[in-house]
Amino acid sequence: MKSARTGFLLAALATLGLSNLLVTPIAIHAQESTAAAHEAGAQKKDGDKDKEAPIPPEKAVVTHHQMTLDGKTLKYTATAGTLLIRDQEDKPYGSIFYVTYTLDGAEPGTRPVSFLYNGGPGSATLWLHMGSFGPMRVETDSPKPTAGPPFKLVENQYSLLGKTDLVFIDAPLTGYSRAVGKATTKDFAGVDQDLRAFDRFIVRYLTVNERWNSPKFLIGESYGTTRSAALADTLAGDGVQLNGVVLISSILNYFVEAPGYDNEYIFNLPSYAAAAWYFNKIPNKPADVSTWVEEARKFAAGPYEQALFQGDKLPAAQFDEIAQQVSHFTGMPVQYVKEAKLRISPTRFRKEVLRDDAKILGRYDMRFDATDPDSAGEYPGYDPSDTGISGAFIASLHDYLQRDLKYESTDDYRPSARTIGQWDWDHRAAGNFRGRSMRMPYVAGDLADAIRKNPHLKVFSANGYFDLATPFFATEYDLDHMMLDQGLTGNVEFGYYPSGHMIYLNVAALKKLSADLGKFITEQTQ
């Protein structure tokens, strides 16, 4: 998927009529950037409203498997299929593709079920499906480019199947999910349109599979966290009470990059510090990245924020002092920091911090480095954390669906809907903002509303230290500013991992993340 923040920029340029001037490379998520090469056929145009797409029957292909997890043999059923969702007139308007894994012999009424999805917006869920918590996962050479094919699909020792049934959902217009009937792209390509589709799919799934009384969890990544935060409140309005929400690599407030504000620079600095630590660009670095990051947090939220707040009135002596400290934490040359007026953009950091080594950094995972065609340029030419893994995930997903899950379709599997340019960013928010239409989504307020209404709802926020797409310091700020009563602040907990946006690319981080989520699910179902 394209980074959620990339969508903000595209939307802003479109509003100004400048989208055709966006010619500098903008890093996009591994979940979308190679999709065009794998996508055939276009969605029905909005001008074709009178042309109805066929309404296919709901489909389910069932296969049976077993795996060894924690020394135990687990027998499970995989179901790959589609469910129809209906509009307000009770007419089918979407066929949504999913793959679910259910433990054989478990009691559906008490067995937890988790709904998982990637983001984009406009990304299919092959990334979480093939890399994180399913019974099988693709091996990569991360943080180096993955060799192959043939790619290696292995039994996933870090699957969550021992704790919960898993339902991987492809967003409308992605994967094998399609608009049907008179529906068009416009019916799905938007914050609230997307929420309605996921709400209707989950309600349909619970009904068809008799899972209304099961403990329920949402697990979303990237824009999937934007979806989850608002969806928790939307589902509650339909009587679907959740036990927990897992946010992986979050973006909860799209206003953060509004021009004229310095929040982005403050939120990014601890992530820059983590990358500088990883590549040994700081003197006398601590043995543990978390120790170094904590020092950077204190500087960013203290002297750095106070200096930027003064703007052009910052005294020269203080300007020089802050520039020295920014250099100290980020490994950037002092003179460069001064020339940038203390404000280092993500693209500039990725290009500059390893310039002496003629390397650029990944955006979604700064552990990835690579060469660039132009070592003298200002911006990276591409994102090595994207190109290094996309081929392995896309090829493995196709092979797995056909060979193992026996799912056949005459449609093309679309890793991306490529709807970012058409995305409707308006969001009608909940909570203190109820009824107000926002030009860009702020959804931490929706999540807070869901927690107030259901004080049993717990949230786990998983963050990668080396993620520059959705920096952890911004997530901490958003979740710490939900205006919850003191008795509810403990409903939110955080986990940190030595990885990037796709935490599971680091197998050691995946192991820890799986253990943390297994514990979280168990605690919310006891």
PDB file of all heavy atoms in Angstrom, residues 215-244:
ATOM      1  N   PRO A 215     -14.938 -14.488  21.413  1.00  0.00           N
ATOM      2  CA  PRO A 215     -14.110 -13.306  21.688  1.00  0.00           C
ATOM      3  C   PRO A 215     -13.538 -12.786  20.367  1.00  0.00           C
ATOM      4  O   PRO A 215     -13.118 -13.571  19.516  1.00  0.00           O
ATOM      5  CB  PRO A 215     -13.014 -13.850  22.607  1.00  0.00           C
ATOM      6  CG  PRO A 215     -13.596 -15.096  23.223  1.00  0.00           C
ATOM      7  CD  PRO A 215     -14.478 -15.682  22.152  1.00  0.00           C
ATOM      8  N   LYS A 216     -13.499 -11.457  20.211  1.00  0.00           N
ATOM      9  CA  LYS A 216     -13.169 -10.876  18.904  1.00  0.00           C
ATOM     10  C   LYS A 216     -12.036  -9.857  19.023  1.00  0.00           C
ATOM     11  O   LYS A 216     -12.027  -9.019  19.940  1.00  0.00           O
ATOM     12  CB  LYS A 216     -14.404 -10.214  18.299  1.00  0.00           C
ATOM     13  CG  LYS A 216     -15.599 -11.155  18.162  1.00  0.00           C
ATOM     14  CD  LYS A 216     -16.846 -10.390  17.792  1.00  0.00           C
ATOM     15  CE  LYS A 216     -18.092 -11.245  17.947  1.00  0.00           C
ATOM     16  NZ  LYS A 216     -18.388 -11.554  19.356  1.00  0.00           N
ATOM     17  N   PHE A 217     -11.136  -9.897  18.033  1.00  0.00           N
ATOM     18  CA  PHE A 217      -9.996  -8.986  17.991  1.00  0.00           C
ATOM     19  C   PHE A 217      -9.826  -8.437  16.582  1.00  0.00           C
ATOM     20  O   PHE A 217     -10.097  -9.124  15.593  1.00  0.00           O
ATOM     21  CB  PHE A 217      -8.707  -9.713  18.408  1.00  0.00           C
ATOM     22  CG  PHE A 217      -8.713 -10.192  19.830  1.00  0.00           C
ATOM     23  CD1 PHE A 217      -9.301 -11.407  20.174  1.00  0.00           C
ATOM     24  CD2 PHE A 217      -8.145  -9.430  20.839  1.00  0.00           C
ATOM     25  CE1 PHE A 217      -9.322 -11.856  21.477  1.00  0.00           C
ATOM     26  CE2 PHE A 217      -8.160  -9.860  22.153  1.00  0.00           C
ATOM     27  CZ  PHE A 217      -8.744 -11.082  22.480  1.00  0.00           C
ATOM     28  N   LEU A 218      -9.358  -7.201  16.505  1.00  0.00           N
ATOM     29  CA  LEU A 218      -8.932  -6.595  15.248  1.00  0.00           C
ATOM     30  C   LEU A 218      -7.416  -6.469  15.262  1.00  0.00           C
ATOM     31  O   LEU A 218      -6.840  -6.016  16.259  1.00  0.00           O
ATOM     32  CB  LEU A 218      -9.546  -5.207  15.064  1.00  0.00           C
ATOM     33  CG  LEU A 218     -11.064  -5.071  15.108  1.00  0.00           C
ATOM     34  CD1 LEU A 218     -11.467  -3.609  14.914  1.00  0.00           C
ATOM     35  CD2 LEU A 218     -11.733  -5.956  14.058  1.00  0.00           C
ATOM     36  N   ILE A 219      -6.759  -6.860  14.156  1.00  0.00           N
ATOM     37  CA  ILE A 219      -5.309  -6.727  14.036  1.00  0.00           C
ATOM     38  C   ILE A 219      -5.026  -6.051  12.698  1.00  0.00           C
ATOM     39  O   ILE A 219      -5.142  -6.671  11.640  1.00  0.00           O
ATOM     40  CB  ILE A 219      -4.595  -8.090  14.121  1.00  0.00           C
ATOM     41  CG1 ILE A 219      -4.953  -8.803  15.440  1.00  0.00           C
ATOM     42  CG2 ILE A 219      -3.083  -7.920  13.995  1.00  0.00           C
ATOM     43  CD1 ILE A 219      -4.317 -10.190  15.583  1.00  0.00           C
ATOM     44  N   GLY A 220      -4.682  -4.772  12.731  1.00  0.00           N
ATOM     45  CA  GLY A 220      -4.432  -4.015  11.510  1.00  0.00           C
ATOM     46  C   GLY A 220      -3.033  -3.446  11.488  1.00  0.00           C
ATOM     47  O   GLY A 220      -2.444  -3.152  12.527  1.00  0.00           O
ATOM     48  N   GLU A 221      -2.504  -3.282  10.274  1.00  0.00           N
ATOM     49  CA  GLU A 221      -1.169  -2.714  10.091  1.00  0.00           C
ATOM     50  C   GLU A 221      -1.246  -1.459   9.234  1.00  0.00           C
ATOM     51  O   GLU A 221      -1.996  -1.400   8.257  1.00  0.00           O
ATOM     52  CB  GLU A 221      -0.244  -3.729   9.406  1.00  0.00           C
ATOM     53  CG  GLU A 221       1.169  -3.211   9.164  1.00  0.00           C
ATOM     54  CD  GLU A 221       2.029  -4.211   8.408  1.00  0.00           C
ATOM     55  OE1 GLU A 221       1.980  -4.246   7.160  1.00  0.00           O
ATOM     56  OE2 GLU A 221       2.740  -4.986   9.075  1.00  0.00           O
ATOM     57  N   SER A 222      -0.472  -0.425   9.591  1.00  0.00           N
ATOM     58  CA  SER A 222      -0.354   0.817   8.832  1.00  0.00           C
ATOM     59  C   SER A 222      -1.725   1.480   8.711  1.00  0.00           C
ATOM     60  O   SER A 222      -2.366   1.749   9.732  1.00  0.00           O
ATOM     61  CB  SER A 222       0.291   0.540   7.483  1.00  0.00           C
ATOM     62  OG  SER A 222       0.727   1.736   6.882  1.00  0.00           O
ATOM     63  N   TYR A 223      -2.206   1.780   7.487  1.00  0.00           N
ATOM     64  CA  TYR A 223      -3.551   2.345   7.381  1.00  0.00           C
ATOM     65  C   TYR A 223      -4.580   1.392   8.001  1.00  0.00           C
ATOM     66  O   TYR A 223      -5.672   1.825   8.394  1.00  0.00           O
ATOM     67  CB  TYR A 223      -3.907   2.639   5.922  1.00  0.00           C
ATOM     68  CG  TYR A 223      -5.268   3.273   5.774  1.00  0.00           C
ATOM     69  CD1 TYR A 223      -5.430   4.640   5.905  1.00  0.00           C
ATOM     70  CD2 TYR A 223      -6.397   2.479   5.551  1.00  0.00           C
ATOM     71  CE1 TYR A 223      -6.697   5.215   5.811  1.00  0.00           C
ATOM     72  CE2 TYR A 223      -7.658   3.048   5.449  1.00  0.00           C
ATOM     73  CZ  TYR A 223      -7.804   4.416   5.587  1.00  0.00           C
ATOM     74  OH  TYR A 223      -9.056   4.978   5.501  1.00  0.00           O
ATOM     75  N   GLY A 224      -4.243   0.123   8.122  1.00  0.00           N
ATOM     76  CA  GLY A 224      -5.116  -0.805   8.831  1.00  0.00           C
ATOM     77  C   GLY A 224      -5.346  -0.398  10.275  1.00  0.00           C
ATOM     78  O   GLY A 224      -6.374  -0.750  10.870  1.00  0.00           O
ATOM     79  N   THR A 225      -4.410   0.364  10.870  1.00  0.00           N
ATOM     80  CA  THR A 225      -4.631   0.874  12.234  1.00  0.00           C
ATOM     81  C   THR A 225      -5.604   2.051  12.207  1.00  0.00           C
ATOM     82  O   THR A 225      -6.401   2.212  13.131  1.00  0.00           O
ATOM     83  CB  THR A 225      -3.311   1.304  12.880  1.00  0.00           C
ATOM     84  OG1 THR A 225      -2.747   2.429  12.169  1.00  0.00           O
ATOM     85  CG2 THR A 225      -2.302   0.172  12.880  1.00  0.00           C
ATOM     86  N   THR A 226      -5.534   2.870  11.162  1.00  0.00           N
ATOM     87  CA  THR A 226      -6.521   3.938  10.993  1.00  0.00           C
ATOM     88  C   THR A 226      -7.912   3.317  10.918  1.00  0.00           C
ATOM     89  O   THR A 226      -8.863   3.777  11.557  1.00  0.00           O
ATOM     90  CB  THR A 226      -6.234   4.730   9.704  1.00  0.00           C
ATOM     91  OG1 THR A 226      -4.865   5.101   9.662  1.00  0.00           O
ATOM     92  CG2 THR A 226      -7.101   5.958   9.608  1.00  0.00           C
ATOM     93  N   ARG A 227      -8.011   2.264  10.119  1.00  0.00           N
ATOM     94  CA  ARG A 227      -9.279   1.544   9.966  1.00  0.00           C
ATOM     95  C   ARG A 227      -9.728   0.959  11.302  1.00  0.00           C
ATOM     96  O   ARG A 227     -10.889   1.111  11.704  1.00  0.00           O
ATOM     97  CB  ARG A 227      -9.114   0.447   8.922  1.00  0.00           C
ATOM     98  CG  ARG A 227     -10.352  -0.389   8.677  1.00  0.00           C
ATOM     99  CD  ARG A 227     -10.035  -1.532   7.714  1.00  0.00           C
ATOM    100  NE  ARG A 227      -9.676  -1.034   6.393  1.00  0.00           N
ATOM    101  CZ  ARG A 227      -8.600  -1.421   5.709  1.00  0.00           C
ATOM    102  NH1 ARG A 227      -7.753  -2.296   6.232  1.00  0.00           N
ATOM    103  NH2 ARG A 227      -8.359  -0.930   4.510  1.00  0.00           N
ATOM    104  N   SER A 228      -8.815   0.285  12.000  1.00  0.00           N
ATOM    105  CA  SER A 228      -9.183  -0.400  13.247  1.00  0.00           C
ATOM    106  C   SER A 228      -9.681   0.565  14.308  1.00  0.00           C
ATOM    107  O   SER A 228     -10.649   0.278  15.026  1.00  0.00           O
ATOM    108  CB  SER A 228      -7.988  -1.180  13.794  1.00  0.00           C
ATOM    109  OG  SER A 228      -7.707  -2.307  13.008  1.00  0.00           O
ATOM    110  N   ALA A 229      -8.992   1.706  14.458  1.00  0.00           N
ATOM    111  CA  ALA A 229      -9.357   2.649  15.507  1.00  0.00           C
ATOM    112  C   ALA A 229     -10.787   3.143  15.320  1.00  0.00           C
ATOM    113  O   ALA A 229     -11.553   3.256  16.286  1.00  0.00           O
ATOM    114  CB  ALA A 229      -8.374   3.822  15.511  1.00  0.00           C
ATOM    115  N   ALA A 230     -11.157   3.435  14.070  1.00  0.00           N
ATOM    116  CA  ALA A 230     -12.527   3.874  13.803  1.00  0.00           C
ATOM    117  C   ALA A 230     -13.496   2.701  13.759  1.00  0.00           C
ATOM    118  O   ALA A 230     -14.657   2.819  14.192  1.00  0.00           O
ATOM    119  CB  ALA A 230     -12.573   4.649  12.487  1.00  0.00           C
ATOM    120  N   LEU A 231     -13.041   1.557  13.255  1.00  0.00           N
ATOM    121  CA  LEU A 231     -13.907   0.392  13.119  1.00  0.00           C
ATOM    122  C   LEU A 231     -14.353  -0.148  14.475  1.00  0.00           C
ATOM    123  O   LEU A 231     -15.468  -0.671  14.608  1.00  0.00           O
ATOM    124  CB  LEU A 231     -13.178  -0.702  12.333  1.00  0.00           C
ATOM    125  CG  LEU A 231     -13.955  -1.949  11.929  1.00  0.00           C
ATOM    126  CD1 LEU A 231     -15.189  -1.589  11.115  1.00  0.00           C
ATOM    127  CD2 LEU A 231     -13.058  -2.909  11.144  1.00  0.00           C
ATOM    128  N   ALA A 232     -13.511  -0.008  15.485  1.00  0.00           N
ATOM    129  CA  ALA A 232     -13.892  -0.455  16.827  1.00  0.00           C
ATOM    130  C   ALA A 232     -15.169   0.247  17.276  1.00  0.00           C
ATOM    131  O   ALA A 232     -16.062  -0.366  17.874  1.00  0.00           O
ATOM    132  CB  ALA A 232     -12.751  -0.188  17.811  1.00  0.00           C
ATOM    133  N   ASP A 233     -15.270   1.535  16.965  1.00  0.00           N
ATOM    134  CA  ASP A 233     -16.462   2.292  17.345  1.00  0.00           C
ATOM    135  C   ASP A 233     -17.632   1.968  16.425  1.00  0.00           C
ATOM    136  O   ASP A 233     -18.779   1.844  16.867  1.00  0.00           O
ATOM    137  CB  ASP A 233     -16.141   3.786  17.305  1.00  0.00           C
ATOM    138  CG  ASP A 233     -17.116   4.613  18.129  1.00  0.00           C
ATOM    139  OD1 ASP A 233     -17.221   4.375  19.340  1.00  0.00           O
ATOM    140  OD2 ASP A 233     -17.786   5.489  17.555  1.00  0.00           O
ATOM    141  N   THR A 234     -17.354   1.803  15.127  1.00  0.00           N
ATOM    142  CA  THR A 234     -18.415   1.481  14.165  1.00  0.00           C
ATOM    143  C   THR A 234     -19.045   0.130  14.473  1.00  0.00           C
ATOM    144  O   THR A 234     -20.271  -0.025  14.464  1.00  0.00           O
ATOM    145  CB  THR A 234     -17.845   1.476  12.740  1.00  0.00           C
ATOM    146  OG1 THR A 234     -17.259   2.751  12.457  1.00  0.00           O
ATOM    147  CG2 THR A 234     -18.925   1.198  11.721  1.00  0.00           C
ATOM    148  N   LEU A 235     -18.211  -0.875  14.735  1.00  0.00           N
ATOM    149  CA  LEU A 235     -18.726  -2.210  15.055  1.00  0.00           C
ATOM    150  C   LEU A 235     -19.564  -2.188  16.335  1.00  0.00           C
ATOM    151  O   LEU A 235     -20.591  -2.871  16.424  1.00  0.00           O
ATOM    152  CB  LEU A 235     -17.563  -3.193  15.215  1.00  0.00           C
ATOM    153  CG  LEU A 235     -16.906  -3.667  13.919  1.00  0.00           C
ATOM    154  CD1 LEU A 235     -15.603  -4.398  14.216  1.00  0.00           C
ATOM    155  CD2 LEU A 235     -17.841  -4.580  13.126  1.00  0.00           C
ATOM    156  N   ALA A 236     -19.112  -1.410  17.312  1.00  0.00           N
ATOM    157  CA  ALA A 236     -19.866  -1.324  18.564  1.00  0.00           C
ATOM    158  C   ALA A 236     -21.283  -0.826  18.301  1.00  0.00           C
ATOM    159  O   ALA A 236     -22.242  -1.266  18.950  1.00  0.00           O
ATOM    160  CB  ALA A 236     -19.150  -0.407  19.545  1.00  0.00           C
ATOM    161  N   GLY A 237     -21.434   0.079  17.336  1.00  0.00           N
ATOM    162  CA  GLY A 237     -22.757   0.574  16.981  1.00  0.00           C
ATOM    163  C   GLY A 237     -23.650  -0.487  16.384  1.00  0.00           C
ATOM    164  O   GLY A 237     -24.874  -0.353  16.388  1.00  0.00           O
ATOM    165  N   ASP A 238     -23.048  -1.579  15.874  1.00  0.00           N
ATOM    166  CA  ASP A 238     -23.809  -2.703  15.328  1.00  0.00           C
ATOM    167  C   ASP A 238     -23.896  -3.869  16.311  1.00  0.00           C
ATOM    168  O   ASP A 238     -24.260  -4.980  15.925  1.00  0.00           O
ATOM    169  CB  ASP A 238     -23.177  -3.184  14.021  1.00  0.00           C
ATOM    170  CG  ASP A 238     -23.480  -2.247  12.862  1.00  0.00           C
ATOM    171  OD1 ASP A 238     -24.516  -1.559  12.921  1.00  0.00           O
ATOM    172  OD2 ASP A 238     -22.688  -2.189  11.912  1.00  0.00           O
ATOM    173  N   GLY A 239     -23.516  -3.610  17.544  1.00  0.00           N
ATOM    174  CA  GLY A 239     -23.617  -4.645  18.571  1.00  0.00           C
ATOM    175  C   GLY A 239     -22.487  -5.643  18.575  1.00  0.00           C
ATOM    176  O   GLY A 239     -22.590  -6.691  19.222  1.00  0.00           O
ATOM    177  N   VAL A 240     -21.390  -5.354  17.875  1.00  0.00           N
ATOM    178  CA  VAL A 240     -20.227  -6.243  17.871  1.00  0.00           C
ATOM    179  C   VAL A 240     -19.248  -5.738  18.924  1.00  0.00           C
ATOM    180  O   VAL A 240     -18.547  -4.745  18.708  1.00  0.00           O
ATOM    181  CB  VAL A 240     -19.550  -6.288  16.486  1.00  0.00           C
ATOM    182  CG1 VAL A 240     -18.340  -7.218  16.528  1.00  0.00           C
ATOM    183  CG2 VAL A 240     -20.543  -6.734  15.424  1.00  0.00           C
ATOM    184  N   GLN A 241     -19.217  -6.398  20.068  1.00  0.00           N
ATOM    185  CA  GLN A 241     -18.334  -5.982  21.150  1.00  0.00           C
ATOM    186  C   GLN A 241     -16.979  -6.681  21.002  1.00  0.00           C
ATOM    187  O   GLN A 241     -16.901  -7.905  20.978  1.00  0.00           O
ATOM    188  CB  GLN A 241     -18.941  -6.304  22.513  1.00  0.00           C
ATOM    189  CG  GLN A 241     -18.075  -5.844  23.675  1.00  0.00           C
ATOM    190  CD  GLN A 241     -18.813  -5.879  24.998  1.00  0.00           C
ATOM    191  OE1 GLN A 241     -20.038  -5.719  25.049  1.00  0.00           O
ATOM    192  NE2 GLN A 241     -18.078  -6.087  26.077  1.00  0.00           N
ATOM    193  N   LEU A 242     -15.942  -5.883  20.910  1.00  0.00           N
ATOM    194  CA  LEU A 242     -14.593  -6.411  20.750  1.00  0.00           C
ATOM    195  C   LEU A 242     -13.930  -6.635  22.102  1.00  0.00           C
ATOM    196  O   LEU A 242     -14.184  -5.909  23.063  1.00  0.00           O
ATOM    197  CB  LEU A 242     -13.744  -5.439  19.937  1.00  0.00           C
ATOM    198  CG  LEU A 242     -14.199  -5.132  18.504  1.00  0.00           C
ATOM    199  CD1 LEU A 242     -13.353  -4.009  17.922  1.00  0.00           C
ATOM    200  CD2 LEU A 242     -14.092  -6.386  17.638  1.00  0.00           C
ATOM    201  N   ASN A 243     -13.028  -7.623  22.129  1.00  0.00           N
ATOM    202  CA  ASN A 243     -12.197  -7.838  23.310  1.00  0.00           C
ATOM    203  C   ASN A 243     -10.901  -7.038  23.240  1.00  0.00           C
ATOM    204  O   ASN A 243     -10.370  -6.599  24.262  1.00  0.00           O
ATOM    205  CB  ASN A 243     -11.868  -9.325  23.466  1.00  0.00           C
ATOM    206  CG  ASN A 243     -13.092 -10.160  23.727  1.00  0.00           C
ATOM    207  OD1 ASN A 243     -13.954 -10.294  22.856  1.00  0.00           O
ATOM    208  ND2 ASN A 243     -13.203 -10.747  24.916  1.00  0.00           N
ATOM    209  N   GLY A 244     -10.384  -6.886  22.023  1.00  0.00           N
ATOM    210  CA  GLY A 244      -9.120  -6.183  21.896  1.00  0.00           C
ATOM    211  C   GLY A 244      -8.861  -5.675  20.494  1.00  0.00           C
ATOM    212  O   GLY A 244      -9.422  -6.180  19.514  1.00  0.00           O
TER     213      GLY A 244
END
